[in-house]
Amino acid sequence: QVQLVDSGGGSVQTGGSLRLSCAVSGFSISNYCMAWFRQGPGKEREWFAASDSAGRTTYADSVQGRFTISRDYDKNTLYLQMNSLKPEDTAMYYCARTMTYQLSGAGRCAAGVDYWGQGTQVTVSS
């Protein structure tokens, strides 16, 4: 049974840091392109980071240089290190498995999402 469990969210002040985790079971992250999405208050869910099966990463401009994806293949867990947080980063954060192992030429995973984590809330106060 495929399961993704998001954790690590919380409340921080502007400039603070958080590390989110996505613990996976039912498949190996070494075989899939994984992605992070977020949904802010009153906004649509948006993609902002991806990591292919080999660990290559891409980021949206809004988080480039501040957020970093990493993988622990032994723990079968995906991480998102978030630094220099801003109030506009406030959102529910979701990890996702996509139906491919690779990134597209445009930088995202080359196929859509088939499984989602339950989300973890990040709140950044000014």
Side-chain angles (χ1 to χ4, degrees):
Q1 180 181 359
V2 171
Q3 191 172 17
L4 293 77
V5 179
D6 300 321
S7 64
S11 297
V12 297
Q13 293 189 326
T14 297
S17 297
L18 284 172
R19 188 176 81 154
L20 306 185
S21 299
C22 174
V24 165
S25 58
F27 69 96
S28 173
I29 61 172
S30 63
N31 295 326
Y32 289 90
C33 190
M34 303 291 292
W36 286 96
F37 291 76
R38 65 185 180 182
Q39 186 167 14
K43 299 180 180 179
E44 295 187 353
R45 190 173 299 190
E46 64 172 359
W47 168 88
F48 66 88
S51 168
D52 71 5
S53 61
R56 287 179 288 261
T57 57
T58 59
Y59 303 93
D61 289 345
S62 59
V63 306
Q64 179 74 48
R66 300 187 299 123
F67 292 8
T68 304
I69 293 179
S70 62
R71 294 176 175 232
D72 186 325
Y73 293 100
D74 290 337
K75 294 182 178 179
N76 211 27
T77 298
L78 190 72
Y79 299 101
L80 180 71
Q81 178 66 43
M82 306 188 296
N83 299 326
S84 302
L85 283 161
K86 306 174 181 180
E88 51 264 44
D89 295 317
T90 294
M92 185 71 79
Y93 283 69
Y94 302 88
C95 72
R97 191 185 85 167
T98 71
M99 294 177 280
T100 183
Y101 63 92
Q102 61 186 351
L103 296 168
S104 70
R108 301 190 183 192
C109 294
V113 172
D114 58 356
Y115 289 96
W116 295 92
Q118 86 286 1
T120 186
Q121 177 68 38
V122 172
T123 302
V124 185
S125 59
S126 58

